[in-house]
Amino acid sequence: MGTLGRAIYSAGQLIRKTGQAVDRLGSHLQGGYIEEQLSRHRTVLNIFDKAPVIDKDVFVAPSAAVIGDVQIGKGSSIWYGSVLRGDVNIIRIGSGTNLQDNSLVHVAKSNLSGMVLPTIIGDNVTVGHSAVLHGCTVEDEAFVGMGAILLDGVVVEKNAMVAAGALVRQNTKIPSGEVWAGNPAKFLRKLTDEEIAFISQSATNYTNLAQVHAAENSKSYEEIEFEKVLRKKYATKDEEYDSMLGVVREIPPELILPDNVLPDKAKKALKI
């Protein structure tokens, strides 16, 4: 290393030490309220000129990744650890659809069949935890079970169900009203009316639950610490014991969850 190189190295070292000293001073001034960026993970990421288009009412979990040419409709939710990678083709997701934790959605630019395949997911679709959807189409109000794999060219029609752990081979069409299961997936039976109704209800439940998670994830450090104190204060209060004593306590609004994610609470209120 020449004289100039040593000078530049020394200057860099001095600047770094100065930065560390300033950081220590800032941390000391902040006291116990220190905000650290522990990860450079980006939830929404462009690929060249391809940018995700996400409705303002969509919940994208902090640890999820939505990348490239992806569009997501109103009320949908992308849960923790899920990855949607629209780099070599497009991904389109409708309204009210949920992709649960660790789901993977990708597309096909080329394959053995020579097909260029996007991934299209309709409205009010439920995709279970750790499912893999690759270059396929899932129509409105369909259901993909946990750990299921849908390969290139698969079409799941409206009100159809792919069972948990199923492997659906290339270019398979699953007709409306049917359950397919197994590896490779085959027709198992017809869906009942109750099961078809459950598919729609499942999507609604996740839309409501996503609102709660979105609110929780948006809270500041101070709000979280304040709620911890409140929860500790009210943890020992028993409603039945209070009612026997004739004591009425007001629960802080910060500790009240919405009725739409507490079905038991809503039923109890109706009975009263």
Side-chain angles (χ1 to χ4, degrees), residues 19 84 103 136 195 202:
L84 285 66
S103 296
C136 59
E195 288 169 332
S202 174

Side-chain angles (χ1 to χ4, degrees), residues 1-250:
M1 184 183 294
T3 303
L4 180 60
R6 285 195 295 271
I8 294 174
Y9 177 85
S10 299
Q13 189 176 41
L14 177 62
I15 292 170
R16 289 184 63 191
K17 287 183 177 179
T18 303
Q20 291 168 357
V22 172
D23 180 68
R24 287 194 294 271
L25 175 61
S27 298
H28 177 72
L29 293 175
Q30 281 184 297
Y33 300 97
I34 302 172
E35 294 184 5
E36 295 285 358
Q37 185 172 343
L38 301 178
S39 171
R40 297 188 66 183
H41 168 76
R42 291 171 59 186
T43 302
V44 179
L45 176 67
N46 295 9
I47 291 290
F48 302 114
D49 60 338
K50 300 173 183 177
V53 177
I54 303 173
D55 188 90
K56 61 182 180 61
D57 292 326
V58 170
F59 167 62
V60 179
S63 57
V66 180
I67 303 165
D69 197 346
V70 181
Q71 293 183 13
I72 307 174
K74 182 177 181 180
S76 290
S77 53
I78 313 300
W79 290 82
Y80 304 93
S82 295
V83 176
L84 285 66
R85 181 154 59 91
D87 46 6
V88 296
N89 212 317
I90 67 170
I91 296 173
R92 297 291 181 263
I93 298 173
S95 302
T97 288
N98 61 90
L99 271 68
Q100 298 171 17
D101 313 71
N102 297 319
S103 296
L104 172 63
V105 181
H106 195 224
V107 290
K109 182 177 181 181
S110 61
N111 52 34
L112 292 174
S113 303
M115 294 187 295
V116 177
L117 296 168
T119 295
I120 309 296
I121 304 172
D123 299 334
N124 302 317
V125 173
T126 290
V127 177
H129 313 287
S130 300
V132 177
L133 281 64
H134 196 277
C136 59
T137 298
V138 182
E139 296 182 355
D140 299 347
E141 297 180 8
F143 188 99
V144 179
M146 295 182 287
I149 300 174
L150 279 58
L151 299 179
D152 294 4
V154 167
V155 176
V156 181
E157 293 187 346
K158 182 175 181 178
N159 291 332
M161 179 180 287
V162 179
L167 173 62
V168 186
R169 293 184 295 186
Q170 289 91 338
N171 305 318
T172 299
K173 178 179 283 190
I174 299 179
S176 178
E178 294 185 1
V179 183
W180 283 48
N183 180 3
K186 296 179 181 179
F187 171 74
L188 180 64
R189 60 176 174 82
K190 290 285 188 178
L191 282 166
T192 65
D193 292 340
E194 291 77 12
E195 288 169 332
I196 291 174
F198 167 76
I199 293 175
S200 297
Q201 187 58 48
S202 174
T204 301
N205 292 344
Y206 260 89
T207 296
N208 293 335
L209 186 59
Q211 294 173 10
V212 176
H213 279 258
E216 287 295 313
N217 278 282
S218 66
K219 288 179 181 177
S220 66
Y221 175 82
E222 289 77 11
E223 288 173 319
I224 293 171
E225 290 299 307
F226 176 64
E227 288 188 13
K228 282 183 182 178
V229 174
L230 288 180
R231 292 186 192 282
K232 185 176 181 180
K233 178 180 178 182
Y234 283 87
T236 58
K237 314 304 179 186
D238 183 88
E239 290 183 10
E240 292 185 5
Y241 180 75
D242 285 349
S243 65
M244 291 174 63
L245 297 178
V247 176
V248 179
R249 305 180 194 271
E250 290 190 10

